[in-house]
Amino acid sequence: MPGIEGETKKTPSGAMPPNIIIMLMDDMGWGDLGVLGQPSKETPNLDAMAAQGMLLPNFYTANPLCSPSRAALLTGRLPVRNGFYTTNAHARNAYTPQEIVGGISGDEILLPEMLKKRGYVSKIVGKWHLGHRPQHLPLKHGFDEWFGAPNCHFGPYNSTDRPNIPVYNNSEMIGRYYEEFKINRDTAESNLTQIYLREGLDFILRLTQAQKPFFLYWTPDATHGPVYASKNFNGKSQRGRYGDAVMELDYSVGQILALLKSLGIDNNTFVFFTSDNGAALISGPEGGSNGPFLCGKETTFEGGMREPAIAYWPGHIKEGAVNFQLSTVMDLFTTSLAIAGINPPNDRMLDGLDLTPVLLNNSDSLKNRPVYFYRGNELMAVRLGQYKAHYWTWSNSWEQFKTGIDFCPGQEVPGVTTHNQTNHSLQPLIFHLGRDPGEKYPISVLSKEYLDVLKAITPIVQKHQRELIPGVPQLNMCDRAVMNWAPEGCKKLGKCLKPPESNPWKCVWPH
Amino acid sequence: MPGIEGETKKTPSGAMPPNIIIMLMDDMGWGDLGVLGQPSKETPNLDAMAAQGMLLPNFYTANPLCSPSRAALLTGRLPVRNGFYTTNAHARNAYTPQEIVGGISGDEILLPEMLKKRGYVSKIVGKWHLGHRPQHLPLKHGFDEWFGAPNCHFGPYNSTDRPNIPVYNNSEMIGRYYEEFKINRDTAESNLTQIYLREGLDFILRLTQAQKPFFLYWTPDATHGPVYASKNFNGKSQRGRYGDAVMELDYSVGQILALLKSLGIDNNTFVFFTSDNGAALISGPEGGSNGPFLCGKETTFEGGMREPAIAYWPGHIKEGAVNFQLSTVMDLFTTSLAIAGINPPNDRMLDGLDLTPVLLNNSDSLKNRPVYFYRGNELMAVRLGQYKAHYWTWSNSWEQFKTGIDFCPGQEVPGVTTHNQTNHSLQPLIFHLGRDPGEKYPISVLSKEYLDVLKAITPIVQKHQRELIPGVPQLNMCDRAVMNWAPEGCKKLGKCLKPPESNPWKCVWPH
């Protein structure tokens, strides 16, 4: 395992390193939680988690699309560094559909690899999304266990043009979505969240009994279209199918926290709840809510990038705290290492910062840190303090927009939600997100405020861009031959499919 | 005092009738409270009030503009019944600027008139807005005390074309805004909220010492443009000037609740917090937030009509309850009477319902009640359960819109946020507000759901319209002679101004 530089150090909480649980939702928006203003207020467990932990209203993802966001979380690095981006076209979000050739590079160090140094046992439950070819799968990148799928639960497919997505138990598939693992597209019923919940609970129980520190990366995908919920939740929400999925996830979070308590390990388990990107507004009323923010998934406006975020660690994190420091999914890498008492790798640039001063002492030590908003290979925007400067704006192309694909339905801010990739680098659009969280009122370029902000931001951005060494882009090539035709374990099940001849092409990323 | 039909009955809480405090904010939006998702979360006292009381996420005003909303609250009747509307043009919101000839009719019965029957002493602190001519002022309509102003704090004016708005102490003016009562338009500094707070606290203390039941109608206007805050709050918010005003109001709410507690009367005082209409999005970043809802003040979309609402009554209302029943400002009339043990007037149609089953028993007894959304003389929309049917849509006229007046900045829903008054009566636009709180996705008219909803709503609306007897419109005539030139008390102060000759005209209401 090359390049791991971490050395163990004393943990903040003493000798036995704390367990770590990261709950990563899929396409859930900032505005989907009761505590963050969803009018139906159907997340009592998450609201209670916030009331007993710390709410971070200024928490961001690293990319407004799933795969790069998840790669950033597990590596502590921007997608443009860790390779989870494309250079096929300018400023396009890329991800890992079945036809992607690439995935997470062997040169990257993932959180579970680091945690292993202090004896952590790591499990991912749910969607992986860092590549589905054998060398990219979780057990090749530090996870000891996996229950879930490498890709989104799109489908059903006919197994000729396109196989259904496999569900893995560790290194072997045990079935496929829509086959052994049912999702009813008509009724939106599936018991997948219940399965993922049980897998999580079993792992926690087992590792606690074995007295080993654990890292659970719990990544259910019920709120990603096509959304689903199990029978007990189907039709229960005021919000329709999407709300049913949220209710079941909220219930599951409650079950996990309750188990920690009943096992007496809640004081020794750091739990963090967030989402991979903003709500997919393209899904209309079957998608989530980004509250008062502009646009959604795929965009670098607040609706695409700002995430619900709750940190929970009884006895360590002050009950009911709200901290406005800017923080990101990449901080979860660095923070988890700090909690585990492991030095971060020192042979590479990390974008994640250690949040423990914020979490444990409610400090404002990160108040001068910038947050970068990338879309593919382009730095679209930067936030510093309350200000956000847009160097590029783009929602989606006119061609896409005219087919009905709208990342900002019902919203239009002239000159901001542009359908052409618009370069503002010479005179960035600057917003004050405190006064104007909806990014509707660019500050006048003639004002002293604008000039002061520009003067503060410009050198920071210039340094960032000067020093950035982009990683090798991993998401450029596609090939139908690499699809999930014959995943490990398919033989035992008699579920191997015959792949077509290899015929690679440069993937086309419309967003 | 004609027409008062009320008779006292036993109060729910025993012999001594409970005090009643209604805190009515001005242009504060649903999304301005931390507990309702404002990202800066700067309302700790209101959030605590909600945590100790009941949050009503589906609470509505009766009109998206101040005067009619306030008239509805105090009469328990829709503006189209109590006369607070105009027939000069179709579907226009009217209010009470200085040139208005009319005001609240002597035929209407106001809440303090009713409460007097059980010995309540009533005070209004802040903006009245039900007419400024002598016969319309609060002490002529049941209030025993008043400290505040009859109109908005627009200005400063030059006293020749237009007088500054007087501030009254009871029946006499004691100064004018921008003169004795400073508002600095450059710095947005004014200590008015502190004055209104002190007036409220003094009244509570005095009436408690006198052992008399009281009704305090506390209506500060710091969040109405031009927004203001006092020195201690100026510049303190993350949200700029508007946020400063919110912080000071939040602080004041905390002070009032703390006084109730320290006097030991919190268990015998019903407190309700809400706002008169949605946030004035025309004010841009110096206006408030309507959270995820569409448009704002002046419109009958959710952003104009849905209000933050907290009921608080320790020992009577369950701590931390959230009740999704539909309720309105008009219910505050009826509910206050029920709490005071007074039968409502039976000689007229009331639109307000008694919320005590909801508040005291967290019941869903109002689940089938419709809520009507009027703009002036027109029924624009109806909500029933989760559904809202729009019979008319209109934001504002093209002419107004082209001058930069926008009630839906950054928002545009084709066919919904129309700039022509659009009649959908034959086929109303129907939204499911649970799935689609932002009113972006009209339900397909071809769906079974649409037909089912239409079938349920139509007879209710037809009955309402058939039986409605509109009141005499009070807001049709304007005249510069009726402005606040020489209010009662001006002589003592040497502040009387000479009115021009009477020259009445039909008021023009652009919205």
Side-chain angles (χ1 to χ4, degrees):
Chain A
M1 204 177 291
I4 293 192
E5 301 293 337
E7 280 179 41
T8 60
K9 56 181 179 181
K10 205 174 172 317
T11 63
S13 63
M16 167 76 169
N19 307 306
I20 295 165
I21 301 178
I22 297 176
M23 300 167 162
L24 186 73
M25 302 301 108
D26 205 334
D27 288 2
M28 188 181 280
W30 191 94
D32 276 325
L33 274 54
V35 68
L36 293 172
Q38 210 294 321
S40 297
K41 289 206 170 265
E42 292 174 333
T43 55
N45 293 291
L46 287 163
D47 297 353
M49 184 182 174
Q52 293 157 25
M54 178 184 282
L55 194 64
L56 295 149
N58 287 315
F59 187 86
Y60 288 96
T61 184
N63 189 273
L65 190 60
C66 35
S67 295
S69 162
R70 288 157 193 255
L73 188 158
L74 288 172
T75 61
R77 286 150 57 80
L78 282 166
V80 72
R81 292 192 216 274
N82 69 31
F84 258 61
Y85 74 109
T86 183
T87 50
N88 289 357
H90 177 250
R92 305 292 173 112
N93 301 313
Y95 75 112
T96 57
Q98 284 202 72
E99 51 269 52
I100 198 81
V101 174
I104 189 70
S105 163
D107 293 336
E108 292 297 317
I109 305 170
L110 271 63
L111 180 56
E113 295 178 279
M114 295 296 294
L115 292 174
K116 203 161 275 179
K117 300 178 138 314
R118 275 192 68 104
Y120 278 76
V121 178
S122 296
K123 177 164 194 158
I124 162 171
V125 174
K127 187 164 99 173
W128 167 240
H129 234 194
L130 265 56
H132 57 281
R133 296 177 67 204
Q135 65 270 36
H136 299 137
L137 293 178
L139 270 56
K140 298 285 170 59
H141 291 270
F143 282 100
D144 302 291
E145 302 184 19
W146 178 28
F147 190 97
N151 312 82
C152 289
H153 58 279
F154 294 128
Y157 300 121
N158 63 7
S159 302
T160 308
D161 299 327
R162 187 172 278 265
N164 278 319
I165 302 299
V167 175
Y168 280 77
N169 188 14
N170 298 322
S171 57
E172 295 192 352
M173 75 174 276
I174 53 168
R176 293 184 191 267
Y177 283 146
Y178 302 96
E179 296 172 19
E180 291 73 18
F181 295 87
K182 305 287 184 206
I183 303 169
N184 186 321
R185 291 294 300 265
D186 292 330
T187 62
E189 188 181 321
S190 171
N191 65 351
L192 280 169
T193 299
Q194 292 301 317
I195 295 174
Y196 291 147
L197 170 58
R198 200 186 58 218
E199 285 290 328
L201 296 174
D202 286 353
F203 177 71
I204 293 168
L205 185 60
R206 181 156 41 82
L207 272 289
T208 304
Q209 286 167 345
Q211 294 192 298
K212 286 194 179 162
F214 64 81
F215 167 43
L216 172 61
Y217 178 49
W218 192 68
T219 67
D221 64 357
T223 41
H224 188 295
V227 299
Y228 59 78
S230 68
K231 199 165 191 172
N232 283 340
F233 294 89
N234 215 309
K236 290 294 189 300
S237 158
Q238 298 180 57
R239 300 180 65 192
R241 290 176 168 191
Y242 183 86
D244 296 345
V246 171
M247 283 180 95
E248 185 163 20
L249 292 167
D250 176 75
Y251 165 84
S252 302
V253 168
Q255 292 293 301
I256 291 172
L257 298 186
L259 178 62
L260 299 181
K261 206 162 279 177
S262 78
L263 293 174
I265 59 169
D266 53 330
N267 289 316
N268 198 42
T269 305
F270 170 71
V271 188
F272 200 94
F273 174 93
T274 188
S275 179
D276 63 348
N277 47 246
L281 303 185
I282 36 167
S283 301
E286 289 205 1
S289 165
N290 297 317
F293 299 122
L294 187 63
C295 302
K297 182 177 176 178
E298 303 284 5
T299 77
T300 47
F301 301 111
E302 292 297 290
M305 298 293 293
R306 210 190 285 212
E307 305 305 329
I310 305 169
Y312 173 94
W313 192 4
H316 300 266
I317 293 173
K318 200 182 156 215
E319 268 197 14
V322 180
N323 191 299
F324 294 97
Q325 297 295 291
L326 306 191
S327 48
T328 79
V329 288
M330 297 172 286
D331 300 339
L332 296 180
F333 177 89
T334 321
T335 305
S336 296
L337 294 183
I339 285 169
I342 301 169
N343 287 323
N346 59 12
D347 67 337
R348 61 195 63 210
M349 183 66 199
L350 291 176
D351 296 285
L353 298 180
D354 175 6
L355 295 181
T356 55
V358 171
L359 300 174
L360 305 181
N361 306 316
N362 210 359
S363 92
D364 65 351
S365 58
L366 304 181
K367 73 178 172 206
N368 295 321
R369 74 101 55 109
V371 173
Y372 299 101
F373 299 70
Y374 273 83
R375 191 154 168 176
N377 60 349
E378 188 59 81
L379 178 66
M380 304 288 286
V382 176
R383 179 170 177 184
L384 183 69
Q386 291 284 10
Y387 293 97
K388 182 170 171 187
H390 289 267
Y391 297 92
W392 284 86
T393 54
W394 194 39
S395 56
N396 63 351
S397 70
W398 282 114
E399 292 130 287
Q400 281 253 317
F401 184 66
K402 283 175 186 161
T403 68
I405 297 173
D406 189 350
F407 298 147
C408 317
Q411 299 180 316
E412 194 194 332
V413 183
V416 179
T417 54
T418 57
H419 289 289
N420 293 314
Q421 292 191 351
T422 307
N423 188 348
H424 306 275
S425 298
L426 291 177
Q427 194 173 70
L429 299 177
I430 298 180
F431 296 91
H432 184 286
L433 295 179
R435 297 195 301 262
D436 176 23
E439 294 169 289
K440 288 177 184 165
Y441 306 102
I443 296 171
S444 165
V445 296
L446 302 175
S447 65
K448 181 174 179 306
E449 184 180 19
Y450 183 91
L451 294 173
D452 288 349
V453 175
L454 194 63
K455 206 185 271 181
I457 286 185
T458 302
I460 293 168
V461 170
Q462 285 176 342
K463 182 169 186 293
H464 169 78
Q465 292 189 305
R466 200 169 53 235
E467 295 179 357
L468 181 90
I469 301 167
V472 177
Q474 305 290 331
L475 306 180
N476 280 350
M477 295 308 299
C478 286
D479 188 340
R480 293 190 56 252
V482 305
M483 289 180 171
N484 293 291
W485 303 104
E488 194 71 38
C490 70
K491 270 195 200 135
K492 276 189 221 164
L493 303 171
K495 293 190 75 80
C496 301
L497 299 168
K498 194 175 142 31
E501 297 261 301
S502 174
N503 183 17
W505 74 90
K506 274 186 154 183
C507 317
V508 176
W509 304 111
H511 319 121
Chain B
M1 205 178 290
I4 292 191
E5 300 293 338
E7 280 179 41
T8 61
K9 56 181 179 181
K10 204 174 173 319
T11 64
S13 63
M16 166 75 169
N19 307 306
I20 295 166
I21 301 179
I22 296 178
M23 299 167 164
L24 186 72
M25 301 302 108
D26 204 334
D27 287 2
M28 190 181 278
W30 191 93
D32 277 324
L33 273 55
V35 69
L36 293 173
Q38 210 293 321
S40 298
K41 290 207 170 264
E42 291 175 332
T43 55
N45 293 290
L46 287 163
D47 297 353
M49 183 182 176
Q52 293 156 26
M54 178 184 282
L55 194 65
L56 295 150
N58 287 315
F59 187 86
Y60 289 96
T61 185
N63 189 272
L65 190 59
C66 35
S67 295
S69 162
R70 288 158 193 254
L73 187 157
L74 288 172
T75 61
R77 285 151 57 81
L78 281 166
V80 72
R81 292 193 215 272
N82 68 32
F84 258 60
Y85 73 109
T86 181
T87 50
N88 289 356
H90 177 250
R92 305 292 172 112
N93 301 312
Y95 74 111
T96 56
Q98 284 202 70
E99 52 268 51
I100 198 83
V101 174
I104 189 71
S105 162
D107 292 337
E108 291 298 318
I109 306 170
L110 272 62
L111 179 55
E113 295 178 278
M114 296 295 294
L115 292 175
K116 204 161 276 179
K117 300 176 140 310
R118 274 193 67 105
Y120 278 75
V121 178
S122 297
K123 176 164 194 157
I124 162 171
V125 175
K127 187 165 99 174
W128 168 239
H129 233 194
L130 263 57
H132 57 280
R133 295 176 69 203
Q135 66 271 36
H136 300 136
L137 293 179
L139 270 57
K140 299 285 169 58
H141 291 270
F143 283 100
D144 302 289
E145 302 183 20
W146 180 27
F147 190 99
N151 312 81
C152 288
H153 58 277
F154 294 129
Y157 301 122
N158 63 7
S159 303
T160 308
D161 299 327
R162 185 173 279 265
N164 278 319
I165 302 298
V167 175
Y168 281 77
N169 188 15
N170 299 322
S171 58
E172 295 193 352
M173 76 175 274
I174 53 167
R176 292 184 191 267
Y177 283 145
Y178 302 96
E179 298 172 18
E180 291 73 20
F181 295 88
K182 305 288 184 205
I183 303 170
N184 186 321
R185 291 294 300 266
D186 292 330
T187 61
E189 190 181 321
S190 171
N191 64 350
L192 281 169
T193 299
Q194 291 301 317
I195 295 174
Y196 291 147
L197 169 58
R198 201 187 55 218
E199 285 290 328
L201 296 175
D202 287 352
F203 176 71
I204 293 168
L205 185 60
R206 181 157 40 85
L207 272 288
T208 304
Q209 286 167 346
Q211 295 191 298
K212 286 194 178 160
F214 65 80
F215 168 43
L216 171 62
Y217 178 49
W218 192 69
T219 69
D221 64 357
T223 42
H224 187 295
V227 298
Y228 59 77
S230 66
K231 199 164 189 174
N232 283 340
F233 294 89
N234 214 309
K236 290 294 190 298
S237 157
Q238 298 178 59
R239 300 179 66 193
R241 290 176 169 191
Y242 182 86
D244 296 344
V246 172
M247 283 180 95
E248 187 163 18
L249 293 167
D250 175 76
Y251 164 84
S252 302
V253 169
Q255 292 292 303
I256 291 172
L257 298 187
L259 178 63
L260 300 182
K261 205 162 281 177
S262 78
L263 293 175
I265 58 169
D266 52 330
N267 290 316
N268 199 42
T269 306
F270 171 71
V271 188
F272 200 93
F273 174 93
T274 189
S275 179
D276 62 349
N277 47 246
L281 303 185
I282 35 164
S283 302
E286 289 204 2
S289 165
N290 297 317
F293 299 121
L294 188 64
C295 302
K297 181 177 176 178
E298 304 284 6
T299 78
T300 46
F301 301 112
E302 292 295 289
M305 298 293 294
R306 209 190 285 212
E307 305 305 328
I310 305 169
Y312 173 94
W313 191 4
H316 300 264
I317 294 175
K318 202 182 153 214
E319 269 198 12
V322 180
N323 193 299
F324 295 98
Q325 296 298 289
L326 306 192
S327 47
T328 80
V329 289
M330 296 171 287
D331 299 340
L332 297 180
F333 177 89
T334 321
T335 304
S336 296
L337 294 184
I339 286 169
I342 302 170
N343 286 324
N346 60 11
D347 66 338
R348 60 197 63 210
M349 183 65 198
L350 291 175
D351 296 284
L353 298 180
D354 175 6
L355 294 181
T356 56
V358 170
L359 300 174
L360 306 181
N361 306 315
N362 210 359
S363 93
D364 65 350
S365 58
L366 305 181
K367 71 179 174 207
N368 295 323
R369 74 101 55 108
V371 173
Y372 299 102
F373 300 69
Y374 273 85
R375 193 157 168 173
N377 60 347
E378 185 59 81
L379 178 67
M380 304 289 286
V382 176
R383 181 169 175 181
L384 184 68
Q386 291 286 9
Y387 293 97
K388 182 171 171 186
H390 289 268
Y391 296 93
W392 284 86
T393 55
W394 193 39
S395 56
N396 63 352
S397 71
W398 282 114
E399 292 130 286
Q400 281 253 316
F401 184 64
K402 282 175 186 162
T403 68
I405 296 172
D406 189 351
F407 299 146
C408 317
Q411 298 180 316
E412 194 193 333
V413 183
V416 180
T417 53
T418 57
H419 290 288
N420 294 314
Q421 292 191 352
T422 307
N423 188 347
H424 306 274
S425 298
L426 291 177
Q427 194 173 69
L429 298 177
I430 298 180
F431 297 91
H432 185 286
L433 294 180
R435 297 196 300 263
D436 177 23
E439 293 168 290
K440 289 177 182 164
Y441 306 102
I443 296 171
S444 165
V445 296
L446 302 174
S447 66
K448 181 174 180 305
E449 184 179 20
Y450 183 92
L451 295 174
D452 288 347
V453 175
L454 195 63
K455 206 185 272 182
I457 285 185
T458 302
I460 294 169
V461 170
Q462 285 176 342
K463 181 168 188 292
H464 169 79
Q465 293 190 305
R466 200 169 54 236
E467 295 179 357
L468 181 89
I469 301 167
V472 177
Q474 305 291 331
L475 306 180
N476 279 351
M477 294 310 296
C478 286
D479 189 340
R480 292 189 57 251
V482 305
M483 289 181 173
N484 293 292
W485 302 104
E488 193 72 37
C490 69
K491 269 195 202 138
K492 275 189 221 165
L493 302 171
K495 292 190 77 77
C496 300
L497 298 168
K498 194 175 146 30
E501 298 259 303
S502 174
N503 183 18
W505 75 91
K506 271 186 155 184
C507 317
V508 177
W509 304 110
H511 317 122

